[in-house]
Amino acid sequence: MTAQTIPQALGGRGAVRGLARFAGAAMLGLALATGPTAPAFARGVPESFADLTEQVSPAVVNITTSTTVAAPVRPGPIFPEGSPFEDLFRDFGMPGGPGETAPQRSNALGSGFVISEDGFIVTNNHVIEGADEIEVEFFSGNTLPAKVVGTDPKTDIAVLKVESTKPLAFVKFGNSDVIRVGDWVMAMGNPLGQGFSVSAGIVSARNRELSGTYDDFLQTDAAINRGNSGGPLFNMNGEVVGVNTAILSPNGGSIGIGFSMASNVVQKVVTQLREFGETRRGWLGVKIQDISPDMAEAMGLKSTVGALVTDVPAGPAADAGMLAGDVITAFDGGEVKNTRDLVRRVADAPVGQAVRVTVTRGDKSQTLLVTLGRRELAEAEPVQTGMSTPQPTEREMLGMTIVPVSPDQAVELGLAETTQGLLIRSVSADSEAAKKGLRAGDVITEAGQQPVASLAELDARVAEAKAAGRKSLLLLIRRGGEPRFVALPVF
């Protein structure tokens, strides 16, 4: 049975592919020692979660939102203005005539938690998205209206603010990086609209990536259901280590696979939302992809560690001299393992900060000083690249039929009119190119990390790869303007 998408809050807010945005027992005893090392002791099942529950409950809240839903137009007979039938339809609860219905109010429920005594509250963005009114209910039963301070759809986090005449009980964030698989955790919230509820379990996995660029989820078997959206996931010290956000389920209920956005991601977002009302993430100004083993071989790299630069449009990296084909191996003093690692490191770096970025170019390593831009501003700007195009001459090679791309073809394919490269007209079904996902309409703009504008240049790159004893040739492919590298065999 496949996992189905479930409404994100009671009231039917949006969802994420096969995952629903929502707001077990551990082994008891001693671990067996191996070799001469000392035995490792596993913590026993907690005697009770009651003390922890009493400690943190006053800071956990239920959230109710109300939204005006546009009224659908009902089909019906049309009468002349002033007709007595108009009064008849209005008498039967159809204001405005037979073809209209009144706007309706839609309610949704979620959870959240207080992070300061002056009333700042954290929840999921999908819980309050589009809401006209937001009401927060505290464990004591008191309710207060809330206003939105800021939201971040990329991490599904929102910060609210309530005004209270008394200091509010609040909880602190813990360090999600020190949480281990197997650690006990406790979830609190408003599942299925039943009010304050507690569930407990263990962390069953870390560093889960679901659908977002900045995802870093803790997976837990603590029961999480609809209405738990935005609620806290506590460690045994009463610190928030995650925000309950999604479940994976074939039937709409908890089956022990829940996801909480890690607190170390949430904290940074919350700090910016409180200070600016929006996020301000660093921007390097490159397009990147992970390095596969065959790509590493084609490039003469010793490992697949790092992030391969596929494009460098106008921006901070271009200003610093970075080039397509560079492999970013370190950022601001820390090793870059892959593209996901780099994206998170750059996003966490302050806008305007000058950072050292180490790249491998050919067989040499060099360090560039890059002054970071702001991603939110850069994403709103169109990016174009381009060069001139030679006259077409078709050829079959590397399992493809290719021809230099014309200006008209480039525009039709979503590229700049002056884009230079080789257009793939067709791909042999049994070729390695087909297995790597290449298809008609793709454009080859580089081969062997050098620009190619003609078939002769591509022939030269193939010959160079063979002469160097390499089994594959690295191609830079553009599809609809988006670049990616692919390694194809040359023998």
Side-chain angles (χ1 to χ4, degrees), residues 24-42:
M27 294 182 66
L28 177 63
L30 302 179
L32 296 177
T34 57
T37 59
F41 292 89

Side-chain angles (χ1 to χ4, degrees), residues 149-237:
V149 174
T151 64
D152 179 33
K154 292 185 181 297
T155 56
D156 199 12
I157 294 298
V159 175
L160 310 179
K161 182 69 165 63
V162 297
E163 301 297 334
S164 174
T165 57
K166 299 179 180 179
L168 298 174
F170 64 95
V171 288
K172 297 181 179 180
F173 286 106
N175 184 359
S176 57
D177 286 346
V178 302
I179 289 290
R180 301 174 302 167
V181 173
D183 279 348
W184 282 98
V185 286
M186 184 179 76
M188 293 192 70
N190 183 22
L192 304 176
Q194 296 302 304
F196 291 90
S197 179
V198 176
S199 59
I202 62 169
V203 173
S204 48
R206 288 173 41 85
N207 302 123
R208 290 299 200 201
E209 182 180 6
L210 302 184
S211 63
T213 304
Y214 306 105
D215 283 0
D216 185 10
F217 285 101
L218 299 177
Q219 181 181 317
T220 179
D221 65 355
I224 297 175
N225 289 283
R226 287 178 292 179
N228 273 117
S229 292
L233 187 73
F234 291 105
N235 62 19
M236 293 298 96
N237 296 322

Side-chain angles (χ1 to χ4, degrees), residues 356-359 365-369:
R356 295 186 181 278
V357 182
T358 302
V359 302
S365 178
Q366 57 182 291
T367 299
L368 307 174
L369 190 63

Side-chain angles (χ1 to χ4, degrees), residues 38 43 118 167 169 210 217 279 288 329 358 366 410 425 464:
R43 293 184 180 181
D118 59 344
L210 302 184
F217 285 101
T279 56
I288 54 177
T329 57
T358 302
Q366 57 182 291
R425 285 194 181 278
E464 290 170 1

Side-chain angles (χ1 to χ4, degrees), residues 312-394:
V312 189
D319 293 341
M322 195 172 296
L323 302 175
D326 286 350
V327 177
I328 300 175
T329 57
F331 178 86
D332 199 21
E335 180 188 12
V336 172
K337 299 176 182 178
N338 49 38
T339 57
R340 183 184 178 199
D341 187 25
L342 178 62
V343 168
R344 290 189 57 191
R345 287 177 180 274
V346 174
D348 290 343
V351 175
Q353 175 177 311
V355 298
R356 295 186 181 278
V357 182
T358 302
V359 302
T360 298
R361 183 178 298 169
D363 57 355
K364 297 180 180 180
S365 178
Q366 57 182 291
T367 299
L368 307 174
L369 190 63
V370 184
T371 300
L372 299 180
R374 182 180 170 194
R375 177 159 185 157
E376 289 82 0
L377 297 179
E379 287 179 337
E381 299 177 0
V383 176
Q384 291 186 344
T385 59
M387 299 168 224
S388 61
T389 307
Q391 293 299 316
T393 304
E394 191 170 284

